[in-house]
Amino acid sequence: MKPHEEHRSRGPRELSFWVVTVSTSRYEAMASGKNYADESGDRAVALISQAGYKVVGRSLVKDDVVMIRGILMDLLRRPDVDVVVFTGGTGVARTDVTVEAVRPLLEKELEGFGDVFRLRSYQEVGTAAIMSRALAGVSNGKLVVVLPGSPNAVETGLGIILPEAPHIIYLARS
Amino acid sequence: MKPHEEHRSRGPRELSFWVVTVSTSRYEAMASGKNYADESGDRAVALISQAGYKVVGRSLVKDDVVMIRGILMDLLRRPDVDVVVFTGGTGVARTDVTVEAVRPLLEKELEGFGDVFRLRSYQEVGTAAIMSRALAGVSNGKLVVVLPGSPNAVETGLGIILPEAPHIIYLARS
Amino acid sequence: MKPHEEHRSRGPRELSFWVVTVSTSRYEAMASGKNYADESGDRAVALISQAGYKVVGRSLVKDDVVMIRGILMDLLRRPDVDVVVFTGGTGVARTDVTVEAVRPLLEKELEGFGDVFRLRSYQEVGTAAIMSRALAGVSNGKLVVVLPGSPNAVETGLGIILPEAPHIIYLARS
Amino acid sequence: MKPHEEHRSRGPRELSFWVVTVSTSRYEAMASGKNYADESGDRAVALISQAGYKVVGRSLVKDDVVMIRGILMDLLRRPDVDVVVFTGGTGVARTDVTVEAVRPLLEKELEGFGDVFRLRSYQEVGTAAIMSRALAGVSNGKLVVVLPGSPNAVETGLGIILPEAPHIIYLARS
Amino acid sequence: MKPHEEHRSRGPRELSFWVVTVSTSRYEAMASGKNYADESGDRAVALISQAGYKVVGRSLVKDDVVMIRGILMDLLRRPDVDVVVFTGGTGVARTDVTVEAVRPLLEKELEGFGDVFRLRSYQEVGTAAIMSRALAGVSNGKLVVVLPGSPNAVETGLGIILPEAPHIIYLARS
Amino acid sequence: MKPHEEHRSRGPRELSFWVVTVSTSRYEAMASGKNYADESGDRAVALISQAGYKVVGRSLVKDDVVMIRGILMDLLRRPDVDVVVFTGGTGVARTDVTVEAVRPLLEKELEGFGDVFRLRSYQEVGTAAIMSRALAGVSNGKLVVVLPGSPNAVETGLGIILPEAPHIIYLARS
Ligand SMILES: [Mg+2]
Ligand SMILES: [Mg+2]
Ligand SMILES: [Mg+2]
Ligand SMILES: [Mg+2]
């Protein structure tokens, strides 16, 4: 076993995830009782479950700094949540504020996550990868991940973070 | 058509570029009426034109924070400019200040641009890529790009940004 | 000769390195007179020497912001040191503070170093690369490098920085 | 009527306050069912009520960044809260983190509040005023105030902020 | 002569000021050819002239970060301007952005200006002084001042800065 | 006894100070063996001694970020130093870098020190007080103070900090 495989194996076996979709249009559909699809959130839940982790909850918020920081602080205080996954609101439009909302609340940023995410995106979609903002870090002993709001980006991002989550949580709590 | 191709196609068909060369030695040659060559600026103009965009203007400034920020603010206020491309002043010498001058004036940084730029540079020049500072972001609905002052770096950087410029502008104005 | 090879060849022929290991456990072993192994520091010294540079000194400090900044400021003031290499304390545990201690003391960060480091780490260890924080920059005409505290990471990082060190020093002093 | 009196009179007539005491010792007393006194919180409630405003709630949290930010985000999302007053955790001991927790979550800081607070403190306690950290700002259309955890400091701080609260809220919502 | 009087007397005898009014409503009135009054700008011009300095120009811009930074960069590049005075846009409403636009473009902030401004404001208007954001600093050898958009605040601010302007300019250029 | 008098009395009875003069001209005089006067440093030593504290050392450095940070880190690591007092290099000239060098190395800034310093300066020299940058904070359980390089400013600053030093040290170590 190589060192990083050893470390990885020392992490908690069971991890509990919470998935937060950031989307004003879906939020307003939900609020007015209309039907809406949340393909990115659905994909996240499916991938997390397939990897053998638990999804203990799911939320939908607007592209709004206060709502995003609010749900993040709710989850950081919950003892039954280990990993928070945001999807959506990461582009360069003025309404995209998820990265801006979450970054100042991380204790340490995993700078390499963005690098590996872009490397894989580049291999998949070429230069369009430059528009993908993505973020991971730790706070209060939990892992926080921010991914773009497309099912493909969610798949790319979780493909990187899911194998490492137990190790990151182990270190963040040490 | 994949989603990123769809988005790309929604951007404005015509984009107007302004190229700014940052070089104290060339600026002083120009100011004293001497001949000078600006191979990087020339290369930028040629590549932008070949890609089917318009180059509506070109400037030469010194390695000076006030001059760099001044020309940037001039261009951000012009309705006839969509993309500003700086070349030069991105190294680690004390006189290299283009990145320091431009970064605080961006509304949002396209963090992935630097990653993809270094990935391609690394494939081209190996470990020397670590000295290449490059930057892209949006401000006032325009795209701003900072590239090193070598023709090769300009080619690498524009090769990444030119295909995505319409999509970025489309998002930045939404 | 390509331009980056030309530049590289203009750097100083002889460079003097100082290696600093950051490790509370080793520091305490040393302080209490016990034996301890510093495999990462040993590997750094061997690689630097094999590359034809001099190692003029070596230190061991705790995972402590004041000790790390203290040794860095000692070395930045020494005329006989050109490059400072830190190893250790770069993870995401709360006790890992080397990046936080060093970053604010750099005049310019070589942002691309982290990118190329992660690219190579990704090729070596896959997604575990996202946990590797690494940093390089210049201050007071010297090069400062921060690497994780594993022999493999030291090898990856020095493999990137050693060929470029003369060129970086040359630029940082210009 | 002078201009600032005119503006002040345009603010909402009724304002709802929430008082948060930050104190690990009191929190632990409460958690273990022991009696504890919260003289600063009591003083805040009394002064707010005497000024004709409503106190709609009161909380007690530990000197802990996550708990402080958590309660702040809870209150910023409540439509029935206009002003949040924190008391405690503003000193220079390592455990004092209220200012550090709250400041990054303010949209705009009222820099002058700290100045006037120190001016009055200086008139009351002389040079000891230099240790009083205090903070006010706006976020999400609400006013957030951070005061030291002594009844005298609460009296000084509220004496400054209570007359201006309607005007600040009026502006923050415009 | 006390030391600060000596220093003050060493500054340039003639100083050239440019007054910028920041006000969306006045800007739109001007743009649509309507009459408008700019009492604060008028007061600034009168006070600067009475103090024996020249006012070489005057501008009116909207509460817009790009317009404010644009005019500032225009003036910082003009050899015939020594001092730039902004009035307006300093409050806590969301549209108030003058402080946010100007602060990052200062090389050094004169932190004490805000303190003395608030002290005098407090003596004049009491606790309402806490809402007055004001700023002074130097950039490119020039003095930049930001004052609230009321004639009284302009009078208070210029009463502090006008006697010191020659000394500040002298130091900023040394 | 009022609360702040009680706290003050709990601080250590004996405190050891180190005085650092920041002045390129004096440093160069010293280095070339010429006579020089350091009136501000002398005044600091005299006032500290008169207040009943010990001055355990004194240094002279240039207006240079690396030298200033170097001596500060030396002193922060010494167990026999409780308080570090810098004098000089606090103006707005480009060569004045003491505030910029020291501020990022403080764990917590005593924001109120600057306020009270300016209030007293204003009472002494009027509007010239706006040019006085001054700073105090704690780091590694020690108190760090930065004062302008004039004997009057040293007297004003130490008049504020000396009575509070034991209390600040007591809190910074708790
Ligand atoms: Mg990156
Ligand atoms: Mg990177
Ligand atoms: Mg103040
Ligand atoms: Mg102040």
Side-chain angles (χ1 to χ4, degrees):
Chain A
M1 227 172 10
K2 295 186 179 171
H4 65 274
E5 290 167 346
E6 273 180 61
H7 288 162
R8 205 184 290 174
S9 68
R10 279 190 292 171
R13 284 150 199 263
E14 291 229 325
L15 288 180
S16 296
F17 284 63
W18 194 287
V19 174
V20 182
T21 300
V22 182
S23 167
T24 298
S25 58
R26 287 177 183 83
Y27 183 86
E28 286 173 353
M30 178 186 71
S32 58
K34 291 183 192 145
N35 286 332
Y36 67 94
D38 175 9
E39 221 189 315
S40 296
D42 294 346
R43 184 74 61 93
V45 169
L47 291 165
I48 295 163
S49 303
Q50 284 163 28
Y53 303 117
K54 278 195 297 184
V55 177
V56 293
R58 192 169 163 176
S59 307
L60 174 56
V61 299
K62 285 204 272 191
D63 292 285
D64 174 86
V65 170
V66 171
M67 285 191 79
I68 296 167
R69 288 186 175 162
I71 186 78
L72 177 56
M73 293 314 306
D74 289 346
L75 297 169
L76 289 182
R77 286 178 289 172
R78 287 181 70 137
D80 60 339
V81 172
D82 302 304
V83 185
V84 181
V85 177
F86 286 93
T87 168
T90 63
V92 296
R94 280 205 181 123
T95 50
D96 292 317
V97 297
T98 311
V99 171
E100 286 77 4
V102 172
R103 185 167 264 153
L105 299 179
L106 299 178
E107 283 167 28
K108 282 197 176 141
E109 193 173 329
L110 283 160
E111 298 171 24
F113 173 71
D115 291 341
V116 173
F117 179 79
R118 246 99 55 179
L119 177 60
R120 290 206 174 175
S121 296
Y122 177 70
Q123 291 165 343
E124 291 162 14
V125 300
T127 52
I130 66 175
M131 270 163 297
S132 301
R133 300 200 298 163
L135 188 68
V138 297
S139 193
N140 207 31
K142 302 183 196 300
L143 170 61
V144 180
V145 187
V146 175
L147 300 173
S150 84
N152 284 342
V154 166
E155 191 152 344
T156 302
L158 291 179
I160 297 162
I161 211 79
L162 291 179
E164 305 304 328
H167 187 192
I168 296 168
I169 295 288
Y170 169 79
L171 291 172
R173 292 184 181 163
S174 69
Chain B
M1 228 175 4
K2 294 186 180 170
H4 65 275
E5 289 167 346
E6 272 180 61
H7 287 162
R8 205 184 290 173
S9 68
R10 280 191 292 172
R13 284 150 199 263
E14 293 229 323
L15 287 180
S16 296
F17 284 64
W18 195 287
V19 174
V20 183
T21 301
V22 183
S23 166
T24 297
S25 59
R26 287 177 184 83
Y27 183 88
E28 286 173 353
M30 179 187 70
S32 58
K34 290 185 194 144
N35 286 331
Y36 67 93
D38 175 9
E39 221 189 316
S40 297
D42 294 346
R43 185 72 62 96
V45 169
L47 290 165
I48 294 163
S49 303
Q50 285 164 28
Y53 302 116
K54 279 194 295 185
V55 176
V56 293
R58 193 168 162 177
S59 308
L60 175 56
V61 299
K62 285 205 271 193
D63 292 285
D64 175 87
V65 170
V66 171
M67 286 190 80
I68 295 166
R69 288 186 176 162
I71 186 77
L72 177 55
M73 293 313 305
D74 289 345
L75 297 169
L76 288 183
R77 286 178 290 172
R78 287 183 68 138
D80 60 339
V81 172
D82 302 305
V83 184
V84 181
V85 177
F86 287 92
T87 166
T90 64
V92 297
R94 280 204 181 124
T95 51
D96 292 317
V97 297
T98 311
V99 171
E100 285 78 5
V102 172
R103 184 167 265 154
L105 299 179
L106 299 177
E107 283 166 29
K108 282 195 178 145
E109 194 172 329
L110 283 160
E111 299 171 23
F113 173 72
D115 291 341
V116 173
F117 179 79
R118 246 98 58 178
L119 176 60
R120 290 206 174 174
S121 297
Y122 177 69
Q123 291 166 344
E124 291 163 14
V125 302
T127 52
I130 65 174
M131 269 163 297
S132 300
R133 299 199 299 162
L135 188 67
V138 297
S139 194
N140 207 31
K142 301 182 196 303
L143 170 61
V144 180
V145 187
V146 175
L147 300 173
S150 85
N152 284 342
V154 166
E155 192 153 343
T156 302
L158 290 179
I160 297 162
I161 211 81
L162 292 179
E164 306 304 327
H167 187 193
I168 296 168
I169 296 288
Y170 168 81
L171 291 172
R173 292 184 180 162
S174 69
Chain C
M1 233 180 355
K2 295 188 181 168
H4 65 273
E5 289 168 347
E6 272 180 61
H7 288 162
R8 205 184 289 173
S9 70
R10 280 191 291 172
R13 285 151 199 262
E14 294 230 321
L15 288 180
S16 297
F17 284 64
W18 195 287
V19 174
V20 183
T21 300
V22 182
S23 166
T24 298
S25 59
R26 288 178 182 81
Y27 183 87
E28 285 172 354
M30 178 186 72
S32 58
K34 289 184 192 144
N35 285 333
Y36 67 94
D38 175 9
E39 218 188 317
S40 297
D42 293 346
R43 184 73 61 95
V45 169
L47 290 165
I48 294 162
S49 303
Q50 284 163 29
Y53 302 116
K54 278 194 297 184
V55 177
V56 293
R58 192 169 163 177
S59 306
L60 175 55
V61 300
K62 285 204 271 191
D63 292 287
D64 174 87
V65 170
V66 171
M67 285 191 79
I68 295 167
R69 288 186 177 164
I71 185 78
L72 177 56
M73 292 314 305
D74 289 345
L75 297 169
L76 289 183
R77 286 178 290 173
R78 287 183 70 139
D80 61 339
V81 172
D82 302 304
V83 185
V84 181
V85 177
F86 286 92
T87 168
T90 64
V92 296
R94 280 204 181 125
T95 50
D96 292 318
V97 296
T98 311
V99 171
E100 285 78 4
V102 172
R103 184 167 265 155
L105 299 179
L106 299 178
E107 284 167 27
K108 281 195 179 143
E109 193 172 328
L110 284 160
E111 298 171 24
F113 173 72
D115 291 340
V116 173
F117 179 79
R118 245 99 57 179
L119 176 60
R120 290 206 174 175
S121 297
Y122 177 70
Q123 292 166 343
E124 292 163 13
V125 301
T127 52
I130 65 174
M131 270 163 298
S132 301
R133 298 199 300 163
L135 188 69
V138 298
S139 193
N140 208 30
K142 301 182 197 302
L143 170 61
V144 180
V145 187
V146 175
L147 300 172
S150 86
N152 284 343
V154 166
E155 191 152 344
T156 302
L158 290 179
I160 297 162
I161 212 78
L162 291 178
E164 305 304 327
H167 188 193
I168 296 168
I169 296 287
Y170 168 79
L171 291 172
R173 290 183 183 164
S174 69
Chain D
M1 228 174 7
K2 294 186 182 172
H4 66 274
E5 290 168 345
E6 271 179 62
H7 288 160
R8 203 184 291 174
S9 68
R10 280 191 292 172
R13 285 153 197 259
E14 292 230 325
L15 287 179
S16 296
F17 284 64
W18 195 288
V19 174
V20 183
T21 300
V22 183
S23 167
T24 298
S25 58
R26 286 178 184 83
Y27 183 87
E28 286 172 353
M30 178 186 71
S32 58
K34 289 182 194 147
N35 286 333
Y36 67 93
D38 175 9
E39 218 189 319
S40 297
D42 293 346
R43 185 72 62 95
V45 169
L47 290 165
I48 294 163
S49 303
Q50 285 163 27
Y53 302 116
K54 278 196 295 185
V55 177
V56 293
R58 194 168 163 177
S59 306
L60 174 56
V61 298
K62 284 205 272 192
D63 292 286
D64 174 86
V65 170
V66 172
M67 285 191 79
I68 295 167
R69 288 185 176 163
I71 185 79
L72 177 57
M73 293 314 305
D74 290 344
L75 297 169
L76 289 182
R77 286 178 289 173
R78 288 182 69 138
D80 59 339
V81 172
D82 302 303
V83 185
V84 181
V85 177
F86 286 93
T87 167
T90 64
V92 296
R94 279 201 183 129
T95 50
D96 291 318
V97 297
T98 312
V99 171
E100 286 77 6
V102 172
R103 184 168 265 156
L105 299 179
L106 298 178
E107 284 167 28
K108 281 194 178 145
E109 193 173 330
L110 284 160
E111 299 171 24
F113 174 71
D115 291 340
V116 172
F117 179 79
R118 246 97 59 180
L119 176 60
R120 289 206 175 173
S121 297
Y122 177 69
Q123 292 166 342
E124 291 163 13
V125 301
T127 52
I130 67 175
M131 270 163 296
S132 301
R133 299 200 299 163
L135 188 68
V138 296
S139 195
N140 206 31
K142 302 182 195 303
L143 169 62
V144 180
V145 187
V146 175
L147 301 173
S150 84
N152 284 342
V154 166
E155 190 153 345
T156 302
L158 290 180
I160 297 162
I161 211 79
L162 291 179
E164 305 304 326
H167 187 193
I168 296 168
I169 295 289
Y170 169 79
L171 292 171
R173 291 183 181 164
S174 69
Chain E
M1 230 175 5
K2 294 185 181 172
H4 66 274
E5 290 168 346
E6 271 179 63
H7 287 162
R8 204 184 291 174
S9 68
R10 280 190 292 171
R13 284 152 199 262
E14 292 230 324
L15 288 180
S16 296
F17 283 63
W18 195 288
V19 174
V20 183
T21 300
V22 182
S23 167
T24 298
S25 58
R26 287 178 182 83
Y27 183 88
E28 286 173 353
M30 179 186 70
S32 58
K34 290 184 193 146
N35 286 332
Y36 67 93
D38 175 8
E39 218 189 317
S40 297
D42 294 345
R43 185 72 61 94
V45 170
L47 290 166
I48 294 163
S49 303
Q50 285 164 27
Y53 303 116
K54 278 195 297 184
V55 177
V56 293
R58 192 168 164 176
S59 306
L60 175 56
V61 299
K62 284 205 273 192
D63 292 286
D64 174 87
V65 170
V66 172
M67 286 191 79
I68 295 167
R69 288 185 176 164
I71 186 78
L72 177 56
M73 293 314 305
D74 289 344
L75 297 169
L76 289 183
R77 286 178 289 173
R78 287 182 70 137
D80 60 337
V81 172
D82 302 302
V83 184
V84 181
V85 177
F86 286 93
T87 167
T90 63
V92 297
R94 280 203 181 126
T95 51
D96 291 317
V97 296
T98 311
V99 170
E100 286 77 5
V102 172
R103 184 167 265 154
L105 299 178
L106 299 178
E107 284 167 27
K108 281 195 178 144
E109 193 172 330
L110 283 160
E111 298 171 25
F113 173 71
D115 291 341
V116 173
F117 179 79
R118 245 99 58 181
L119 176 61
R120 289 206 176 174
S121 297
Y122 177 69
Q123 292 166 343
E124 291 163 14
V125 301
T127 52
I130 66 175
M131 271 162 297
S132 301
R133 299 200 299 164
L135 189 67
V138 297
S139 193
N140 206 31
K142 301 182 196 303
L143 170 61
V144 180
V145 187
V146 175
L147 301 174
S150 85
N152 284 342
V154 166
E155 191 153 343
T156 302
L158 290 180
I160 297 162
I161 211 80
L162 291 179
E164 305 304 326
H167 187 194
I168 296 168
I169 295 288
Y170 169 80
L171 291 171
R173 291 183 181 163
S174 71
Chain F
M1 233 178 356
K2 294 184 182 172
H4 65 274
E5 289 169 345
E6 271 180 62
H7 287 160
R8 203 184 291 174
S9 68
R10 280 191 291 172
R13 284 149 199 264
E14 292 231 322
L15 288 179
S16 296
F17 284 64
W18 195 287
V19 174
V20 183
T21 300
V22 182
S23 166
T24 298
S25 59
R26 287 178 183 82
Y27 183 87
E28 286 173 353
M30 178 186 71
S32 59
K34 289 183 193 147
N35 285 332
Y36 66 93
D38 175 9
E39 218 188 318
S40 297
D42 293 347
R43 185 73 62 94
V45 169
L47 290 165
I48 295 162
S49 304
Q50 284 163 28
Y53 303 116
K54 278 195 297 185
V55 176
V56 292
R58 192 168 163 177
S59 306
L60 175 56
V61 299
K62 284 205 272 192
D63 292 285
D64 175 87
V65 170
V66 172
M67 287 191 78
I68 295 167
R69 288 186 176 163
I71 185 78
L72 177 56
M73 293 313 306
D74 290 345
L75 297 169
L76 288 183
R77 286 178 290 173
R78 288 183 69 137
D80 60 339
V81 172
D82 302 303
V83 185
V84 181
V85 177
F86 286 93
T87 167
T90 63
V92 295
R94 280 203 181 125
T95 50
D96 291 317
V97 297
T98 311
V99 171
E100 285 78 5
V102 172
R103 184 168 265 154
L105 299 179
L106 299 178
E107 283 167 28
K108 280 194 180 145
E109 193 172 330
L110 284 159
E111 298 172 24
F113 174 71
D115 291 341
V116 173
F117 180 79
R118 246 99 58 179
L119 176 61
R120 289 207 176 173
S121 297
Y122 177 69
Q123 292 166 342
E124 290 163 14
V125 302
T127 52
I130 66 175
M131 270 163 297
S132 301
R133 298 200 299 162
L135 189 67
V138 297
S139 193
N140 206 30
K142 301 182 196 303
L143 170 62
V144 180
V145 187
V146 175
L147 301 173
S150 84
N152 284 343
V154 166
E155 191 152 345
T156 301
L158 291 180
I160 297 162
I161 211 79
L162 291 179
E164 306 304 326
H167 187 194
I168 297 168
I169 295 287
Y170 168 79
L171 291 172
R173 292 183 181 163
S174 70

